[in-house]
Amino acid sequence: NIKMEMFDDFKRMNKRQVYYQVLNFGMIIASALMIWKGMMVATGSESPIVVVLSGSMEPAFYRGDLLFLGNDRSDPIRAGEIVVFKIEGRDIPIVHRVIKVHETHEGKIKFLTKGDNNEVDDRGLYKPGQLWVEKHHVVGRARGFVPYVGMVTIIMNDYPKLKYAVLGLLGLFVLLHRE
Amino acid sequence: MNTFLSRLNTLFAFSISVVAAVTFACFLTTHFLDYTQDVEIEVKKAIVKNMEEFYVGEKHDLGHIRFSLKANMTPVFNWNCKELFLYLMAEYETPRNKINQVVLWDKIINRGENAVLDLKKVHAKYYFFDDGSDLRGKNITLSLHWNVIPNAGYLWRVKGRQDLGYTLPDSYAGSRV
Protein backbone atom coordinates (compact mmCIF):
# COMPACT_ATOMS: atom_id res chain seq x y z
CA ASN A 1 0.00 0.00 0.00
CA ILE A 2 2.75 2.42 1.04
CA LYS A 3 4.79 1.34 -1.98
CA MET A 4 1.88 2.22 -4.28
CA GLU A 5 1.58 5.69 -2.79
CA MET A 6 5.29 6.22 -3.41
CA PHE A 7 4.91 5.29 -7.07
CA ASP A 8 1.79 7.48 -7.37
CA ASP A 9 3.96 10.44 -6.47
CA PHE A 10 6.39 9.43 -9.20
CA LYS A 11 3.67 8.93 -11.84
CA ARG A 12 2.36 12.44 -11.28
CA MET A 13 5.79 13.98 -12.05
CA ASN A 14 6.56 15.46 -15.43
CA LYS A 15 9.90 15.03 -17.20
CA ARG A 16 11.55 18.04 -15.57
CA GLN A 17 10.58 16.88 -12.13
CA VAL A 18 12.08 13.48 -12.86
CA TYR A 19 15.38 15.07 -13.94
CA TYR A 20 15.26 17.19 -10.81
CA GLN A 21 14.80 14.15 -8.60
CA VAL A 22 17.72 12.35 -10.24
CA LEU A 23 19.95 15.42 -9.88
CA ASN A 24 18.88 15.75 -6.25
CA PHE A 25 19.93 12.17 -5.67
CA GLY A 26 23.30 12.90 -7.29
CA MET A 27 23.71 15.95 -5.04
CA ILE A 28 23.25 13.85 -1.92
CA ILE A 29 25.88 11.35 -3.03
CA ALA A 30 28.28 14.13 -4.05
CA SER A 31 27.86 16.07 -0.77
CA ALA A 32 28.49 12.94 1.28
CA LEU A 33 31.65 12.29 -0.70
CA MET A 34 32.75 15.92 -0.33
CA ILE A 35 32.24 15.89 3.42
CA TRP A 36 34.28 12.68 3.74
CA LYS A 37 37.12 13.96 1.52
CA GLY A 38 37.00 17.36 3.26
CA MET A 39 37.42 15.66 6.61
CA MET A 40 40.38 13.74 5.20
CA VAL A 41 42.06 17.04 4.29
CA ALA A 42 41.20 18.71 7.59
CA THR A 43 42.38 15.84 9.80
CA GLY A 44 45.25 14.53 7.69
CA SER A 45 43.91 11.03 8.23
CA GLU A 46 43.00 8.79 5.32
CA SER A 47 40.04 7.52 7.34
CA PRO A 48 38.84 10.25 9.74
CA ILE A 49 36.14 8.10 11.34
CA VAL A 50 36.58 4.44 12.27
CA VAL A 51 34.39 1.90 13.99
CA VAL A 52 35.95 -0.24 16.71
CA LEU A 53 35.68 -3.87 15.60
CA SER A 54 37.38 -5.78 18.38
CA GLY A 55 37.38 -5.94 22.15
CA SER A 56 41.13 -5.55 22.52
CA MET A 57 40.82 -2.02 23.92
CA GLU A 58 38.10 -2.80 26.49
CA PRO A 59 36.99 -1.27 28.80
CA ALA A 60 37.84 1.95 26.96
CA PHE A 61 36.39 1.00 23.57
CA TYR A 62 33.84 -1.69 22.84
CA ARG A 63 32.81 -3.19 19.54
CA GLY A 64 30.63 -0.67 17.73
CA ASP A 65 32.05 2.49 19.30
CA LEU A 66 33.01 5.31 16.97
CA LEU A 67 36.40 7.04 16.95
CA PHE A 68 37.30 10.36 15.37
CA LEU A 69 40.87 10.38 14.13
CA GLY A 70 43.39 13.12 13.57
CA ASN A 71 46.85 12.86 12.10
CA ASP A 72 48.60 16.16 12.69
CA ARG A 73 52.08 15.86 11.14
CA SER A 74 53.52 18.64 13.34
CA ASP A 75 52.50 16.81 16.51
CA PRO A 76 54.68 13.70 16.73
CA ILE A 77 53.44 10.36 18.02
CA ARG A 78 54.10 9.83 21.71
CA ALA A 79 53.72 6.95 24.17
CA GLY A 80 50.23 6.61 25.64
CA GLU A 81 48.34 7.65 22.52
CA ILE A 82 45.88 5.41 20.79
CA VAL A 83 46.79 4.96 17.15
CA VAL A 84 45.06 3.26 14.24
CA PHE A 85 47.53 1.51 11.97
CA LYS A 86 47.68 -0.98 9.14
CA ILE A 87 49.85 -4.06 9.01
CA GLU A 88 50.84 -5.49 5.63
CA GLY A 89 48.77 -8.55 4.84
CA ARG A 90 45.91 -7.53 7.11
CA ASP A 91 42.84 -5.80 5.71
CA ILE A 92 41.47 -4.43 8.94
CA PRO A 93 43.37 -1.61 10.68
CA ILE A 94 44.28 -2.13 14.34
CA VAL A 95 43.32 0.35 17.08
CA HIS A 96 45.88 0.03 19.91
CA ARG A 97 47.86 2.09 22.39
CA VAL A 98 51.51 3.11 21.91
CA ILE A 99 53.65 1.81 24.80
CA LYS A 100 57.14 2.53 23.48
CA VAL A 101 58.55 5.24 21.21
CA HIS A 102 62.04 5.73 19.81
CA GLU A 103 62.75 8.84 17.76
CA THR A 104 66.15 9.28 16.14
CA HIS A 105 67.98 12.60 15.98
CA GLU A 106 66.79 12.89 12.37
CA GLY A 107 63.18 12.62 13.54
CA LYS A 108 62.48 9.08 12.35
CA ILE A 109 59.94 7.48 14.65
CA LYS A 110 59.33 3.82 15.45
CA PHE A 111 56.91 2.62 18.08
CA LEU A 112 55.46 -0.47 19.73
CA THR A 113 51.77 -0.93 20.48
CA LYS A 114 49.57 -2.99 22.78
CA GLY A 115 45.83 -3.41 23.29
CA ASP A 116 44.69 -2.36 26.77
CA ASN A 117 42.83 -5.63 27.09
CA ASN A 118 45.69 -7.81 25.79
CA GLU A 119 48.29 -9.39 28.02
CA VAL A 120 51.21 -8.88 25.67
CA ASP A 121 52.40 -6.28 23.16
CA ASP A 122 51.55 -6.51 19.46
CA ARG A 123 54.76 -8.01 18.07
CA GLY A 124 52.88 -11.26 17.55
CA LEU A 125 50.30 -9.42 15.44
CA TYR A 126 52.77 -7.63 13.20
CA LYS A 127 54.10 -9.10 9.99
CA PRO A 128 56.63 -11.85 10.80
CA GLY A 129 59.97 -10.16 11.42
CA GLN A 130 58.39 -6.74 11.96
CA LEU A 131 59.39 -5.28 15.32
CA TRP A 132 58.04 -1.75 15.11
CA VAL A 133 55.21 0.29 13.69
CA GLU A 134 56.34 3.30 11.68
CA LYS A 135 54.76 6.50 10.41
CA HIS A 136 53.74 5.06 7.06
CA HIS A 137 51.62 2.40 8.77
CA VAL A 138 49.57 5.00 10.64
CA VAL A 139 46.02 5.69 9.47
CA GLY A 140 45.27 8.14 12.26
CA ARG A 141 45.33 8.82 15.97
CA ALA A 142 42.27 8.64 18.20
CA ARG A 143 41.09 12.09 19.25
CA GLY A 144 37.35 11.86 19.86
CA PHE A 145 35.01 9.14 21.02
CA VAL A 146 31.28 8.45 20.65
CA PRO A 147 29.82 5.19 21.94
CA TYR A 148 27.54 2.70 20.10
CA VAL A 149 27.01 4.72 16.90
CA GLY A 150 29.16 2.36 14.84
CA MET A 151 26.88 -0.55 15.75
CA VAL A 152 24.80 0.32 12.66
CA THR A 153 27.69 -0.37 10.29
CA ILE A 154 28.65 -3.54 12.16
CA ILE A 155 25.11 -4.92 11.81
CA MET A 156 25.06 -3.94 8.13
CA ASN A 157 28.39 -5.65 7.51
CA ASP A 158 27.27 -8.77 9.35
CA TYR A 159 24.07 -8.92 7.29
CA PRO A 160 24.94 -7.69 3.78
CA LYS A 161 21.38 -8.35 2.56
CA LEU A 162 20.06 -5.91 5.16
CA LYS A 163 22.64 -3.37 4.01
CA TYR A 164 21.48 -3.54 0.38
CA ALA A 165 17.82 -3.49 1.45
CA VAL A 166 18.30 -0.35 3.58
CA LEU A 167 20.47 1.41 0.99
CA GLY A 168 18.05 0.46 -1.79
CA LEU A 169 15.00 1.68 0.12
CA LEU A 170 16.70 4.96 1.05
CA GLY A 171 17.77 5.52 -2.55
CA LEU A 172 14.31 4.71 -3.85
CA PHE A 173 12.74 7.03 -1.30
CA VAL A 174 14.96 9.95 -2.28
CA LEU A 175 14.35 9.33 -5.99
CA LEU A 176 10.59 8.93 -5.78
CA HIS A 177 9.57 11.13 -2.91
CA ARG A 178 8.46 14.63 -3.78
CA GLU A 179 8.92 17.48 -1.33
CA MET B 1 -1.29 11.35 7.46
CA ASN B 2 -1.24 10.37 11.12
CA THR B 3 -0.69 6.71 10.56
CA PHE B 4 0.92 4.53 13.20
CA LEU B 5 4.11 4.32 11.12
CA SER B 6 4.51 8.06 10.69
CA ARG B 7 4.00 8.60 14.40
CA LEU B 8 6.57 5.93 15.18
CA ASN B 9 8.96 7.60 12.75
CA THR B 10 8.51 11.02 14.35
CA LEU B 11 8.96 9.59 17.81
CA PHE B 12 12.14 7.79 16.74
CA ALA B 13 13.60 10.86 15.05
CA PHE B 14 12.82 13.00 18.09
CA SER B 15 14.40 10.50 20.52
CA ILE B 16 17.55 10.37 18.40
CA SER B 17 17.80 14.18 18.37
CA VAL B 18 17.37 14.34 22.15
CA VAL B 19 20.05 11.68 22.73
CA ALA B 20 22.41 13.51 20.36
CA ALA B 21 21.79 16.86 22.07
CA VAL B 22 22.34 15.43 25.57
CA THR B 23 25.53 13.68 24.40
CA PHE B 24 26.81 16.92 22.91
CA ALA B 25 25.99 18.84 26.11
CA CYS B 26 27.86 16.15 28.07
CA PHE B 27 30.92 16.76 25.88
CA LEU B 28 30.63 20.56 26.01
CA THR B 29 30.22 20.85 29.79
CA THR B 30 33.39 18.87 30.48
CA HIS B 31 35.59 20.02 27.62
CA PHE B 32 37.14 23.04 29.32
CA LEU B 33 37.94 21.52 32.71
CA ASP B 34 41.40 21.09 34.17
CA TYR B 35 42.34 17.42 34.28
CA THR B 36 45.81 17.80 35.83
CA GLN B 37 46.59 16.45 39.28
CA ASP B 38 49.44 16.25 41.81
CA VAL B 39 51.60 13.15 41.63
CA GLU B 40 54.31 11.80 43.89
CA ILE B 41 56.77 9.34 42.33
CA GLU B 42 59.67 7.74 44.11
CA VAL B 43 62.18 5.17 42.85
CA LYS B 44 62.86 2.52 45.47
CA LYS B 45 65.35 0.38 43.61
CA ALA B 46 66.83 0.35 40.14
CA ILE B 47 69.25 -1.98 38.38
CA VAL B 48 70.49 -2.28 34.82
CA LYS B 49 71.35 -5.52 33.04
CA ASN B 50 72.31 -6.44 29.53
CA MET B 51 70.41 -9.31 28.03
CA GLU B 52 68.83 -10.60 24.87
CA GLU B 53 65.51 -8.99 24.05
CA PHE B 54 62.83 -11.49 23.03
CA TYR B 55 61.63 -11.23 19.44
CA VAL B 56 64.47 -8.82 18.67
CA GLY B 57 67.24 -11.39 19.16
CA GLU B 58 69.82 -8.79 20.14
CA LYS B 59 71.42 -7.95 23.43
CA HIS B 60 70.02 -4.72 24.80
CA ASP B 61 70.12 -2.93 28.13
CA LEU B 62 67.25 -3.84 30.42
CA GLY B 63 66.35 -1.59 33.30
CA HIS B 64 64.44 -2.82 36.28
CA ILE B 65 62.73 -0.33 38.55
CA ARG B 66 60.71 -0.62 41.72
CA PHE B 67 58.77 2.50 42.50
CA SER B 68 56.25 4.06 44.84
CA LEU B 69 53.44 6.23 43.63
CA LYS B 70 50.94 8.53 45.27
CA ALA B 71 48.13 10.34 43.50
CA ASN B 72 44.49 11.12 44.04
CA MET B 73 42.57 10.78 40.80
CA THR B 74 39.10 11.30 42.31
CA PRO B 75 38.78 14.96 41.16
CA VAL B 76 39.49 13.95 37.55
CA PHE B 77 36.28 11.96 37.39
CA ASN B 78 33.19 13.84 36.30
CA TRP B 79 29.97 12.83 34.60
CA ASN B 80 31.75 12.50 31.30
CA CYS B 81 34.66 10.35 32.45
CA LYS B 82 34.12 6.66 31.92
CA GLU B 83 37.63 5.44 32.55
CA LEU B 84 41.12 6.67 33.32
CA PHE B 85 44.06 4.91 31.75
CA LEU B 86 47.11 5.74 33.86
CA TYR B 87 50.62 5.02 32.73
CA LEU B 88 54.07 5.58 34.16
CA MET B 89 56.53 6.58 31.50
CA ALA B 90 60.33 6.69 31.45
CA GLU B 91 61.78 9.27 29.07
CA TYR B 92 65.46 9.72 28.20
CA GLU B 93 67.89 10.63 25.46
CA THR B 94 70.61 8.35 24.07
CA PRO B 95 73.27 8.74 21.37
CA ARG B 96 71.06 6.55 19.18
CA ASN B 97 67.72 8.28 19.79
CA LYS B 98 66.77 11.84 20.59
CA ILE B 99 63.61 10.70 22.31
CA ASN B 100 63.01 7.39 24.02
CA GLN B 101 59.70 6.79 25.77
CA VAL B 102 58.95 3.53 27.51
CA VAL B 103 55.76 2.78 29.42
CA LEU B 104 56.78 0.86 32.53
CA TRP B 105 53.47 0.39 34.25
CA ASP B 106 49.81 1.08 33.64
CA LYS B 107 46.49 0.87 35.42
CA ILE B 108 42.86 1.23 34.44
CA ILE B 109 40.52 2.97 36.87
CA ASN B 110 36.89 2.66 35.92
CA ARG B 111 34.24 5.08 37.06
CA GLY B 112 33.11 4.21 40.58
CA GLU B 113 36.30 2.38 41.50
CA ASN B 114 38.73 3.64 44.13
CA ALA B 115 40.73 6.39 42.46
CA VAL B 116 43.23 7.05 45.25
CA LEU B 117 46.60 5.57 44.37
CA ASP B 118 49.07 4.72 47.07
CA LEU B 119 51.45 2.15 45.67
CA LYS B 120 54.51 1.04 47.56
CA LYS B 121 57.57 -0.62 46.02
CA VAL B 122 55.77 -1.84 42.93
CA HIS B 123 57.58 -3.71 40.16
CA ALA B 124 57.32 -2.29 36.67
CA LYS B 125 54.72 -4.14 34.62
CA TYR B 126 56.55 -4.02 31.27
CA TYR B 127 60.16 -4.72 30.37
CA PHE B 128 62.26 -1.59 30.26
CA PHE B 129 64.41 -2.54 27.25
CA ASP B 130 66.47 0.19 25.65
CA ASP B 131 66.74 0.47 21.87
CA GLY B 132 70.46 -0.22 22.28
CA SER B 133 72.75 -0.52 25.29
CA ASP B 134 72.75 2.95 26.72
CA LEU B 135 70.98 2.69 30.07
CA ARG B 136 73.99 2.65 32.41
CA GLY B 137 74.30 5.90 34.32
CA LYS B 138 71.45 7.31 32.23
CA ASN B 139 69.37 10.22 33.49
CA ILE B 140 65.75 9.28 33.02
CA THR B 141 62.57 11.22 33.75
CA LEU B 142 59.69 9.29 35.25
CA SER B 143 56.25 10.80 34.83
CA LEU B 144 52.68 9.68 35.35
CA HIS B 145 50.19 10.39 32.59
CA TRP B 146 46.55 9.59 32.11
CA ASN B 147 44.28 9.18 29.17
CA VAL B 148 40.73 10.31 29.94
CA ILE B 149 38.17 8.05 28.24
CA PRO B 150 34.90 9.99 28.14
CA ASN B 151 31.35 8.77 27.65
CA ALA B 152 31.52 10.91 24.53
CA GLY B 153 34.06 13.57 23.68
CA TYR B 154 37.75 14.31 23.46
CA LEU B 155 40.34 11.71 24.52
CA TRP B 156 42.53 13.86 26.75
CA ARG B 157 46.10 12.89 27.49
CA VAL B 158 47.27 14.60 30.66
CA LYS B 159 50.67 14.71 32.36
CA GLY B 160 50.91 14.74 36.14
CA ARG B 161 52.03 18.05 37.66
CA GLN B 162 55.23 16.57 39.10
CA ASP B 163 57.75 14.23 37.55
CA LEU B 164 60.96 12.67 38.81
CA GLY B 165 64.47 12.78 37.46
CA TYR B 166 66.50 9.71 38.31
CA THR B 167 69.96 8.43 37.43
CA LEU B 168 70.23 4.71 36.74
CA PRO B 169 73.19 2.83 38.24
CA ASP B 170 76.37 3.10 36.16
CA SER B 171 77.28 -0.57 36.20
CA TYR B 172 75.46 -3.78 35.32
CA ALA B 173 73.96 -5.75 38.14
CA GLY B 174 75.11 -9.30 38.81
CA SER B 175 73.09 -12.29 37.80
CA ARG B 176 71.06 -12.11 40.99
CA VAL B 177 68.13 -9.73 40.86
Side-chain angles (χ1 to χ4, degrees):
Chain A
N1 202 359
I2 300 164
K3 271 270 163 61
M4 293 316 289
E5 279 173 38
M6 281 170 74
F7 284 109
D8 280 349
D9 239 7
F10 189 68
K11 271 178 205 156
R12 269 188 270 116
M13 292 178 192
N14 60 33
K15 247 185 191 169
R16 274 189 193 161
Q17 278 167 328
V18 170
Y19 292 150
Y20 179 79
Q21 291 296 97
V22 171
L23 281 177
N24 203 19
F25 184 72
M27 277 293 280
I28 290 172
I29 303 276
S31 329
L33 198 68
M34 272 167 69
I35 290 169
W36 182 250
K37 292 284 172 187
M39 280 178 78
M40 278 171 76
V41 173
T43 60
S45 169
E46 61 184 87
S47 172
I49 297 175
V50 295
V51 174
V52 177
L53 293 174
S54 84
S56 62
M57 284 298 280
E58 283 176 22
F61 307 149
Y62 289 83
R63 209 168 126 81
D65 291 345
L66 204 70
L67 292 178
F68 292 90
L69 307 185
N71 197 7
D72 186 353
R73 306 280 145 117
S74 60
D75 170 29
I77 290 167
R78 291 292 175 249
E81 291 196 54
I82 299 161
V83 292
V84 180
F85 58 95
K86 274 184 181 157
I87 294 300
E88 278 170 64
R90 280 175 178 268
D91 298 332
I92 299 165
I94 301 174
V95 184
H96 277 179
R97 192 182 297 276
V98 176
I99 62 162
K100 215 170 175 187
V101 175
H102 297 296
E103 181 178 331
T104 65
H105 294 272
E106 290 78 41
K108 195 169 166 3
I109 289 183
K110 59 179 182 181
F111 60 91
L112 179 65
T113 55
K114 176 183 168 289
D116 289 0
N117 200 22
N118 293 349
E119 285 300 315
V120 293
D121 64 48
D122 289 345
R123 280 188 174 144
L125 290 177
Y126 301 161
K127 207 175 74 166
Q130 182 182 350
L131 296 173
W132 304 98
V133 185
E134 285 169 58
K135 252 184 186 165
H136 66 267
H137 296 115
V138 175
V139 174
R141 296 140 73 184
R143 289 283 174 265
F145 171 83
V146 183
Y148 308 124
V149 180
M151 223 52 227
V152 184
T153 51
I154 288 190
I155 292 168
M156 293 234 190
N157 278 334
D158 286 353
Y159 305 98
K161 274 180 193 162
L162 182 75
K163 177 166 72 182
Y164 295 125
V166 170
L167 285 179
L169 274 176
L170 277 178
L172 213 64
F173 182 77
V174 171
L175 270 177
L176 302 184
H177 185 73
R178 198 153 55 140
E179 289 292 309
Chain B
M1 270 324 257
N2 292 316
T3 61
F4 176 69
L5 268 180
S6 78
R7 281 179 181 173
L8 203 68
N9 182 36
T10 314
L11 191 69
F12 181 70
F14 183 67
S15 320
I16 291 284
S17 329
V18 170
V19 169
V22 170
T23 307
F24 190 73
C26 202
F27 151 72
L28 213 61
T29 48
T30 53
H31 192 67
F32 304 99
L33 301 178
D34 179 19
Y35 287 100
T36 61
Q37 212 49 240
D38 289 321
V39 173
E40 215 174 291
I41 308 167
E42 203 183 334
V43 173
K44 289 293 181 186
K45 192 185 179 194
I47 58 168
V48 177
K49 296 175 108 182
N50 188 262
M51 56 188 291
E52 187 174 314
E53 188 175 353
F54 345 99
Y55 267 106
V56 180
E58 263 176 62
K59 273 199 159 189
H60 284 163
D61 272 6
L62 170 66
H64 190 89
I65 287 177
R66 288 185 79 171
F67 63 94
S68 294
L69 189 68
K70 263 189 186 170
N72 181 9
M73 288 295 140
T74 318
V76 179
F77 279 92
N78 56 44
W79 65 16
N80 193 20
C81 179
K82 181 174 82 173
E83 172 201 323
L84 281 186
F85 184 90
L86 294 110
Y87 52 102
L88 185 78
M89 184 164 92
E91 200 167 358
Y92 57 98
E93 190 181 336
T94 56
R96 188 187 285 244
N97 294 309
K98 187 162 179 276
I99 293 166
N100 296 278
Q101 293 183 323
V102 181
V103 173
L104 301 180
W105 171 90
D106 62 23
K107 182 181 172 61
I108 290 170
I109 303 179
N110 283 306
R111 182 195 191 76
E113 288 175 3
N114 177 26
V116 180
L117 290 174
D118 188 7
L119 303 164
K120 293 187 175 80
K121 289 189 182 175
V122 186
H123 286 277
K125 205 167 141 184
Y126 303 112
Y127 288 97
F128 180 11
F129 268 110
D130 181 38
D131 194 26
S133 298
D134 299 302
L135 283 187
R136 276 175 301 173
K138 181 60 62 190
N139 278 318
I140 61 169
T141 306
L142 290 173
S143 50
L144 186 74
H145 301 243
W146 43 95
N147 186 201
V148 180
I149 316 286
N151 290 318
Y154 193 78
L155 293 156
W156 294 104
R157 273 186 305 131
V158 187
K159 185 173 184 281
R161 287 192 195 123
Q162 293 81 18
D163 53 21
L164 173 76
Y166 186 82
T167 309
L168 292 172
D170 46 18
S171 61
Y172 290 131
S175 53
R176 289 177 301 121
V177 179

